[in-house]
Amino acid sequence: TTLAVLCHEVPHEVGDVAILIRSGMPRLQALKVQLITAIGALLGTVAGLMAGDMPELSKHMSCFIAGGFIYVATVDVLPSVLEDSSLTQTLCELAAMATGVVMMIGVALLE
């Protein structure tokens, strides 16, 4: 599991730094910002592990986190995906998002 997480996270973090640099942020500042977000993710992991023993708190944390993802998706990601796209491209992207939602519902039901 640790190897799988590393195989996912290392390219993800490098990609985030590349996006920050490409958007005009100086390299050192981009590395610092990414380090701060990584520390935030680590603190969130610790909080999640501690909340695992408290089902009521865990339920509320899950709702808060899901809300954050939905907010980012609707306010930032979706408008940029829909910019300068053909109708076919837009429908394919929306179908891919819907497939992701269906898969997550499936995982939740099977859990």
Side-chain angles (χ1 to χ4, degrees), residues 90-103:
T90 300
L91 291 175
C92 287
E93 290 167 352
L94 290 174
M97 283 190 246
T99 302
V101 169
V102 169
M103 290 172 72

Side-chain angles (χ1 to χ4, degrees), residues 14-60:
V14 171
D16 287 349
V17 171
I19 289 169
L20 292 172
I21 292 171
R22 188 170 181 196
S23 67
M25 189 176 286
R27 182 173 294 176
L28 186 59
Q29 185 181 4
L31 290 170
K32 287 178 184 177
V33 167
Q34 195 57 33
L35 178 63
I36 291 169
T37 60
I39 291 169
L42 184 61
L43 292 174
T45 301
V46 170
L49 290 171
M50 291 171 44
D53 295 334
M54 299 175 262
E56 191 64 29
L57 178 61
S58 182
K59 179 173 65 172
H60 291 296

